[in-house]
Amino acid sequence: MAFGWRSWTQYRHTGSTVFRGVSGRPGSLQWCAGVGFIAAILAGLAAPLLQLLAILAPVAALQAPWIQASGTVLAGGGIAATVYAQRDMGQSWHIGVDPGETTTLVRDGVFGLVRNPIFTGMLFFAAGITLMTPNLLALAAFAVLLATIELQVRVVEEPYLNAAHGQAYRDYCRDVGRFVPRIGRIRAFTADPR
């Protein structure tokens, strides 16, 4: 929902949805991150529908009203956090990485607390949906989403931002956590990709 809304808004303002697509050669970690992300989103959308249609059954241990209510709160909070972070990112927001494009390094607002607040919001939303409809496909989709977001950030985005912004990005990584405040700060990069 948040990505669709933001893509439409960007298209209205710029003429581009700013979707950069899947990067890397087939089979590479970059490619696996992009394809895995798309697969996780599709499976995450299918899981509730298949449970609603009684094709998939919920995991019995996760079927309790308080769990589904918690999931609803997490999902709502995740949507709000994603939209808020996209707004804070402004014109620098895009899906994927274009190595030929350099956007502004956003460090203000929620980006002053965590480096990847959009992904954090997405994970809260996905966890909420998984708890609302806790079937095996939803659990698998959440696990794949978590793994592919980690890959996307570590293998695609961080090397790109380090190359594009140099010391300013390294200072940012030293001071601000990756997905959670103060957790995942990078003290030193192992190699400068330039």
Side-chain angles (χ1 to χ4, degrees), residues 110-121:
V110 72
F111 287 87
L113 299 173
V114 293
R115 297 193 312 269
N116 299 286
I118 294 171
F119 285 143
T120 300

Side-chain angles (χ1 to χ4, degrees), residues 43-52 56-59 62-63 67-68 71-72 126-139:
L45 291 171
L49 179 63
L50 293 174
Q51 185 170 317
L52 182 66
L56 290 177
V59 175
L62 297 175
Q63 191 65 16
I67 292 175
Q68 278 68 62
T72 302
I129 293 296
T130 301
L131 292 175
M132 289 168 67
T133 57
N135 58 60
L136 291 177
L137 181 59
L139 293 167

Side-chain angles (χ1 to χ4, degrees), residues 6 77 113 121 139 145 189:
R6 184 60 187 197
L113 299 173
L139 293 167
L145 182 65
F189 277 81

